[in-house]
Amino acid sequence: MELRDIEIFLTLAEELHFGRTAERLHVTPARISQVIKKQERQIGALLFDRTNRTVRLTPIGEQLRADLRPLYAGLMDSMQRAKLAARGKTARLRIGMMPVNTHDLRPYWATFRAHHPYCELQLRHASFVDPFGVLRRGEADLLVTWLPVEEPDLTVGPTLFADRRLLAVAADHELAGRSAVSVEDVAHFQHSGARPVPAYWEDTFVPFQTPRGYPIERGPLVTNMDELLSLVSISETVNILPAHSARYFSRPDITWLPVTDLRPLTFGLVWRTEAENDLIRAFARVVTDLGPLSTHL
């Protein structure tokens, strides 16, 4: 079994969806199906039970995943250490970024790199779909995300910044001419939805109801900001977002309005408790020492 085929199998075993697996690996669903069928022919048994609606691992698929996952992780780790050594580095710290304002937070990156020149600091986008999966799968060492995070296996570290809220609406939307809006105004329009995430975490980002008890309706599901803003731009949805989004996603077809009665959204560091190490603690100390930064640097 080739390395890429192992990656395809393990990713499908995690996503249990051919389309999402193909999107994540930047291949076609047909390619995913071809690889899995080839593996099943080689093994002589089904690895996945597939219907029009569901994809599930068979017992043999479960066994193969359990056997392959540590081997694949070890091999990839060995390759990564060799690449680091070739660049004169001896360690790596991977940070997943839920917000998009990586440039605003450069004092943290620069200070850590200055204190730890032997360590390669990698910054990667982290999706709001399965938000804590990158930590639990070992794909990131740290996650920058909005708070609170109340997961029993995760540790919450220091705060990096807090951002006021804006409402994104289409440029020709009926609210676009206003100077500001309240949460009560928002309840009259549907927001985009997402795959299930912890309810308390979603409610912090976009409340499920207003202070007066009116529900804030969720609409079409989205998996990324491009999809979200496309729906906003055609007035199918509106969306409450952190203020830095207006600077990083400036578009002529979208207007941004202050939301006057929501508290700023706080973003902090989160990591898997069992994976805590010296580098994670070192980066957390940098954030603590510098303190929360202004996002308008």
Side-chain angles (χ1 to χ4, degrees):
M1 193 180 294
E2 297 180 3
L3 186 61
R4 181 60 165 171
D5 292 351
I6 294 174
E7 182 182 30
I8 287 173
F9 167 76
L10 290 175
T11 304
L12 181 60
E14 179 185 315
E15 294 287 350
L16 297 178
H17 190 282
F18 280 79
R20 289 196 299 269
T21 299
E23 181 179 355
R24 186 165 148 191
L25 298 179
H26 306 290
V27 297
T28 64
R31 171 62 177 155
I32 303 297
S33 181
Q34 179 186 37
V35 167
I36 297 303
K37 288 178 180 178
K38 174 184 173 184
Q39 293 169 350
E40 290 174 334
R41 286 196 301 270
Q42 291 174 332
I43 292 170
L46 291 177
L47 300 174
F48 296 89
D49 285 324
R50 313 191 266 287
T51 70
N52 290 335
R53 293 187 175 183
T54 63
V55 178
R56 294 182 301 175
L57 280 164
T58 65
I60 293 174
E62 292 273 10
Q63 176 185 319
L64 184 62
R65 179 180 62 174
D67 290 342
L68 284 181
R69 190 154 50 183
L71 295 174
Y72 179 79
L75 179 58
M76 297 306 293
D77 190 52
S78 296
M79 292 291 291
Q80 185 61 42
R81 286 201 302 270
K83 291 178 181 178
L84 290 173
R87 296 195 293 270
K89 304 287 186 180
T90 60
R92 176 187 58 170
L93 186 67
R94 301 162 300 167
I95 300 180
M97 286 288 294
M98 194 78 66
V100 298
N101 59 341
T102 303
H103 181 71
D104 290 344
L105 307 180
R106 62 195 182 279
Y108 296 126
W109 325 136
T111 301
F112 179 83
R113 284 169 172 144
H115 291 173
H116 303 277
Y118 63 90
C119 180
E120 180 171 276
L121 183 64
Q122 291 185 351
L123 303 173
R124 298 290 187 269
H125 170 69
S127 173
F128 53 77
V129 176
D130 186 20
F132 309 122
V134 291
L135 295 174
R136 290 168 174 151
R137 293 190 298 269
E139 296 171 2
D141 305 301
L142 289 163
L143 179 66
V144 178
T145 184
W146 68 83
L147 304 178
V149 170
E150 300 169 353
E151 303 296 301
D153 58 330
L154 302 181
T155 295
V156 178
T159 296
L160 288 88
F161 69 98
D163 218 357
R164 62 194 177 94
R165 315 294 189 91
L166 299 180
L167 182 70
V169 301
D172 58 356
H173 193 275
E174 63 185 88
L175 294 177
R178 298 213 191 165
S179 58
V181 293
S182 71
V183 179
E184 302 299 335
D185 297 322
V186 170
H188 298 291
F189 306 96
Q190 89 176 345
H191 274 60
S192 56
R195 286 173 58 194
V197 297
Y200 72 87
W201 191 72
E202 180 180 355
D203 184 68
T204 302
F205 195 83
V206 177
F208 289 111
Q209 64 180 28
T210 73
R212 295 181 183 176
Y214 295 105
I216 297 179
E217 181 185 355
R218 269 54 171 180
L221 297 181
V222 297
T223 60
N224 57 62
M225 280 292 289
D226 286 338
E227 292 177 356
L228 184 153
L229 293 175
S230 292
L231 291 173
V232 169
S233 71
I234 59 174
S235 292
E236 189 166 342
T237 62
V238 302
N239 248 96
I240 296 172
L241 293 164
H244 72 263
S245 304
R247 292 182 288 117
Y248 285 85
F249 292 103
S250 177
R251 294 174 48 147
D253 54 352
I254 290 179
T255 296
W256 300 85
L257 306 171
V259 182
T260 57
D261 50 355
L262 278 180
R263 290 182 297 178
L265 196 61
T266 300
F267 288 81
L269 283 180
V270 179
W271 61 88
R272 191 164 61 88
T273 303
E274 290 186 356
E276 183 175 314
N277 56 34
D278 289 343
L279 285 175
I280 290 174
R281 287 188 287 270
F283 190 85
R285 281 196 299 272
V286 166
V287 176
T288 299
D289 291 344
L290 291 182
L293 299 182
S294 167
T295 60
H296 299 287
L297 300 171

